Amino acid sequence: MEAKSLLSGFQLNQTNPLYQTSKEHQYTKFPYQNWVSFKPHYSTKLFSQRVGVNFSLKGKNNVDDKLDNVVCVGDDDSVVGIRRKKLAVFVSGGGSNFKSIHEACVKGLVRGDVAVLVTNKPDCGGAEYARRKDISVISFPKTSIVPTGLSSMDLVTALRNLEVDFVLLAGYLKLVPVELVRAYPKSILNIHPSLLPAFGGKGYYGMKVHKAVIASGARFSGPTVHFVDEHYDTGRILAQSVVPVLANDSAEELAARVLHEEHQLYVEVTSALCEERIAWREDGVPLIQSKENPKQYY
């Protein structure tokens, strides 16, 4: 797709309003399981971004009523009254997480659609898959090797023109430009193949991560989904999934085990994101609202 058509008619979207609830969370770890369950208690304030909702709640007595009025669940367990979101996915390689997310969107497991793929390698497997599925592909950044790539500001303009709601990094190996981070606050996610903050930062990617985990003697690893800030792997953690590191694991064996969890975790988080089930605790920690029980967060 030509960049020109994506850059025309650019307008900034307005900031999504916030609504406020009151909850406090303690977590209980379950041994031999790869998840953490939160038991909610009333106290700490949570803030959740929602389109078209602007509640100012006073006191905890009316919190449950407000939540029930906002999140409407139909008989088929699909969320009613929330528009489908438009996603931009960034890849640098084969894009297996991108494929999982796209397939989940097509199957209706995610209330969103991949509007565009952004890549620094126009010939990578993820870009080829996108073209086969008639998904627009944007090259970024502009380099001597990729002269058709966009500048940072042109990229922001293109995504705004496509009305992209959220940006998902799925094996994108470049640092996201500050212009994009500031244009999409609390709306950019990345998945990393270790339990952050361990084994993260510049230089920790791909098989290098798994080799470092094994060399450290760590007994557990797994993917982390986190919000993106202006640095490598330092944004707020949203979700994690744990896998064992076995005594005789190779990096390849551990990578395969982690990748299997990545495909499930990223789809689940993307579903929550598109259904507007991300809440922010008052200390800045993001939590996911349970779809089955909207009064619980994890």
Side-chain angles (χ1 to χ4, degrees):
M1 174 176 287
E2 295 183 359
K4 183 177 179 181
S5 63
L6 295 175
L7 301 177
S8 60
F10 165 59
Q11 290 184 345
L12 285 175
N13 293 339
Q14 296 180 347
T15 302
N16 289 343
L18 302 177
Y19 79 92
Q20 176 180 333
T21 70
S22 298
K23 299 274 185 179
E24 179 178 74
H25 300 268
Q26 297 178 344
Y27 65 89
T28 302
K29 294 183 179 179
F30 292 82
Y32 312 113
Q33 298 292 334
N34 64 348
W35 47 276
V36 175
S37 175
F38 283 83
K39 294 183 177 180
H41 300 276
Y42 288 107
S43 175
T44 305
K45 297 177 182 177
L46 288 174
F47 299 86
S48 180
Q49 290 185 330
R50 292 187 179 277
V51 177
V53 179
N54 189 3
F55 288 142
S56 177
L57 306 184
K58 298 180 180 180
K60 64 185 181 182
N61 293 332
N62 63 348
V63 169
D64 293 343
D65 293 338
K66 294 297 184 182
L67 281 174
D68 291 340
N69 290 337
V70 173
V71 182
C72 301
V73 180
D75 294 336
D76 59 352
D77 289 333
S78 62
V79 178
V80 178
I82 297 178
R83 66 175 177 82
R84 292 183 69 87
K85 301 300 188 292
K86 293 185 179 181
L87 310 173
V89 184
F90 285 44
V91 304
S92 293
S96 65
N97 274 304
F98 158 51
K99 295 174 185 176
S100 295
I101 291 170
H102 175 254
E103 290 172 358
C105 290
V106 172
K107 294 177 181 178
L109 302 177
V110 172
R111 198 175 182 82
D113 300 290
V114 179
V116 62
L117 181 98
V118 179
T119 181
N120 62 313
K121 296 183 178 181
D123 296 328
C124 70
E128 292 177 357
Y129 174 87
R131 295 187 186 99
R132 290 198 302 270
K133 300 298 181 179
D134 294 324
I135 298 172
S136 300
V137 176
I138 291 178
S139 296
F140 174 82
K142 182 177 182 179
T143 64
S144 58
I145 300 176
V146 188
T148 58
L150 300 184
S151 68
S152 296
M153 288 308 302
D154 284 347
L155 174 64
V156 172
T157 301
L159 297 185
R160 291 296 196 187
N161 194 50
L162 287 169
E163 299 181 335
V164 166
D165 296 288
F166 300 111
V167 174
L168 307 177
L169 309 186
Y172 184 70
L173 302 182
K174 294 288 186 179
L175 186 64
V176 174
V178 63
E179 293 87 353
L180 183 62
V181 175
R182 293 175 180 174
Y184 282 87
K186 295 183 178 179
S187 299
I188 306 176
L189 290 179
N190 179 48
I191 190 162
H192 183 77
S194 76
L195 296 174
L196 292 176
F199 309 104
K202 188 174 182 179
Y204 277 99
Y205 62 89
M207 209 59 66
K208 293 182 179 181
V209 174
H210 306 297
K211 290 179 179 179
V213 170
I214 292 173
S216 75
R219 269 40 174 191
F220 296 95
S221 189
T224 298
V225 176
H226 65 94
F227 283 93
V228 173
D229 57 18
E230 299 175 10
H231 308 284
Y232 284 108
D233 303 329
T234 58
R236 288 290 192 169
I237 293 172
L238 178 59
Q240 294 180 313
S241 185
V242 179
V243 302
V245 180
L246 304 181
N248 297 314
D249 262 345
S250 66
E252 291 75 15
E253 289 170 333
L254 178 57
R257 196 175 303 121
V258 172
L259 186 62
H260 178 267
E261 292 298 319
E262 286 184 37
H263 292 165
Q264 298 184 59
L265 184 67
Y266 217 176
V267 167
E268 291 172 4
V269 171
T270 302
S271 176
L273 192 68
C274 291
E275 293 175 3
E276 301 171 4
R277 291 189 285 111
I278 307 300
W280 291 81
R281 210 166 60 189
E282 64 179 359
D283 61 357
V285 173
L287 301 172
I288 298 175
Q289 183 184 38
S290 169
K291 187 172 183 177
E292 290 74 22
N293 186 353
K295 298 179 183 179
Q296 291 188 350
Y297 294 79
Y298 58 92

